[in-house]
Amino acid sequence: MTIVSTIRAALLAGCAAALFTASAGAQEIRGWNTHAPDYPVSVAMDHFAALVAERTGGRITPKTYHSAQLGEQDQAIEQMQFGGIDYAVFNLTPLNNLVPETQVTTLPYAFRSVDQMHRVVDGPIGAEIAAAMEQVNMVGLAWYDSGARSFYAKTPLASVEDLKGLKIRVQNSDVNVAMVEALGANATPIPFGEVYTSIQSGVVDGAENNWPSYESTAHFEVARHYILDQHTIVPEIFAVAKTTWDKMTADDQAIVRQAAIESAGLQRRLWAEREAKSEAIVRAAGNTIVELEDKTPFIEKMKPVYDKFVTSDKLRDLLARIQATE
Ligand code: GTR
């Protein structure tokens, strides 16, 4: 070792020690997110991280890994249970098979509008569903938007009849499988990140999603026919792993909860803007967009899904209270 390299090594060791001291007691927590960094969910999660770091004086520094860097949603749900991920924003549909209470929010036409969905999740029913997340080691803190989901395909979709016989990608949920099968189509659960190539290569003929996801994933470039049947309005939950949560002091829990709630306020504002922007991009690309004055044919065909999943008194009661919400 030359003198110079010895000095350099000593300096580096000193720096590392200094860094270690500065960060003693600081806790970096890891967040999972499936979307690209400019998506409303992503921007809001970054806002959450900044608020928590600032309000804890750097004791807790959340870092969100966007674009499914930490895996697809199903893996992330597992990792929340085993400690690999500390917080995440999850669409409720892929939680259906694990947390039965989430199924009612995924049923076709369970909500009448996004506003009504907000009134449900922001009130006691939302608190009840958030509490049910404890079954998967999660503490639900706030609700994000993800608009209404509609079908898109490579072939024209003018009415519900055009979905018959098509292979449609769904999220990993038995409710979604049953919903698509009720239309006489074939449901194929595929992770979000693989949908583009699956449509492009013909593994499936189409999928279903909201305007921002249809656009941000470029699915609209490979499946150019979008029918606005708006079958589901599925909320997304900001959740912290219970093991991570239980290690925080009550003061830190209050800071984290408040930051999640504020981030949801931002996300909902950004969501409305992004919906309009995504719609404009897709329309400018010349895609066929079918607006439906009357959704009855979809509602009628999807009714059997209720008989299949709303089978306990608990779910019947939960659904009745959702439907009774103005
Ligand atoms: C998006 C949602 C994602 C993911 C995706 C999907 O709208 O924000 O969390 O669930 O849909 O279709 O898999």
Side-chain angles (χ1 to χ4, degrees):
M1 211 182 236
T2 65
I3 290 183
V4 173
S5 63
T6 309
I7 292 171
R8 192 180 292 140
L11 281 175
L12 280 175
C15 278
L19 271 179
F20 186 75
T21 318
S23 64
Q27 188 196 1
E28 182 178 303
I29 55 173
R30 295 184 355 141
W32 175 89
N33 170 33
T34 198
H35 294 289
D38 70 337
Y39 203 80
V41 171
S42 319
V43 176
M45 289 182 83
D46 287 344
H47 182 59
F48 161 83
L51 290 178
V52 171
E54 184 197 315
R55 292 174 185 174
T56 62
R59 267 179 301 104
I60 301 178
T61 51
K63 173 153 174 46
T64 307
Y65 293 82
H66 302 301
S67 310
Q69 286 174 66
L70 301 181
E72 291 285 348
Q73 175 155 334
D74 287 333
Q75 296 156 326
I77 291 170
E78 261 179 44
Q79 288 197 56
M80 289 280 278
Q81 300 179 57
F82 301 121
I85 292 173
D86 300 297
Y87 66 97
V89 171
F90 288 130
N91 185 275
L92 286 192
T93 305
L95 284 156
N96 286 169
N97 297 351
L98 301 168
V99 184
E101 288 83 349
T102 64
Q103 290 174 0
V104 284
T105 67
T106 305
L107 289 168
Y109 304 103
F111 296 108
R112 287 187 295 280
S113 67
V114 171
D115 284 347
Q116 187 223 4
M117 182 274 280
H118 284 163
R119 286 190 288 275
V120 169
V121 296
D122 292 339
I125 304 175
E128 205 175 310
I129 297 171
M133 302 292 290
E134 202 164 320
Q135 294 167 71
V136 281
N137 188 43
M138 293 184 209
V139 180
L141 298 182
W143 295 99
Y144 279 28
D145 257 358
S146 72
R149 298 174 75 104
S150 296
F151 288 103
Y152 45 85
K154 291 172 121 169
T155 48
L157 298 175
S159 76
V160 69
E161 297 303 321
D162 293 327
L163 283 153
K164 220 185 246 170
L166 295 189
K167 282 178 283 177
I168 299 293
R169 175 270 173 170
V170 290
Q171 293 163 282
N172 186 14
S173 146
D174 293 345
V175 179
N176 264 15
V177 169
M179 176 181 82
V180 163
E181 284 177 350
L183 302 177
N186 301 307
T188 312
I190 295 175
F192 191 42
E194 291 167 27
V195 181
Y196 179 89
T197 41
S198 302
I199 298 175
Q200 195 184 35
S201 65
V203 169
V204 289
D205 303 304
E208 47 85 54
N209 222 313
N210 50 53
W211 280 111
S213 281
Y214 180 43
E215 175 265 313
S216 68
T217 53
H219 294 177
F220 77 101
E221 290 173 5
V222 286
R224 304 187 52 113
H225 304 273
Y226 198 27
I227 183 164
L228 302 178
D229 63 291
Q230 303 178 321
H231 48 268
T232 49
I233 297 175
V234 184
E236 302 198 345
I237 193 161
F238 190 115
V240 174
K242 188 160 186 310
T243 29
T244 304
W245 183 255
D246 288 344
K247 280 187 212 137
M248 292 179 189
T249 62
D251 285 351
D252 285 345
Q253 286 176 348
I255 290 173
V256 168
R257 183 184 294 277
Q258 181 58 24
I261 291 169
E262 287 177 35
S263 77
L266 173 65
Q267 194 270 348
R268 291 183 192 184
R269 285 196 298 282
L270 295 174
W271 182 261
E273 286 169 26
R274 180 61 182 252
E275 266 191 331
K277 186 178 154 201
S278 296
E279 177 173 351
I281 292 171
V282 172
R283 286 191 188 273
N287 286 28
T288 313
I289 315 296
V290 174
E291 320 233 5
L292 291 171
E293 289 235 321
D294 180 16
K295 301 195 184 99
T296 319
F298 279 88
I299 296 170
E300 288 298 319
K301 282 219 162 180
M302 290 176 170
K303 272 207 175 128
V305 183
Y306 281 70
D307 303 334
K308 194 160 178 198
F309 290 94
V310 191
T311 49
S312 68
D313 285 344
K314 193 178 182 185
L315 294 191
R316 253 190 298 277
D317 170 63
L318 196 53
L319 180 64
R321 282 184 288 133
I322 289 178
Q323 289 173 334
T325 305
E326 288 299 315

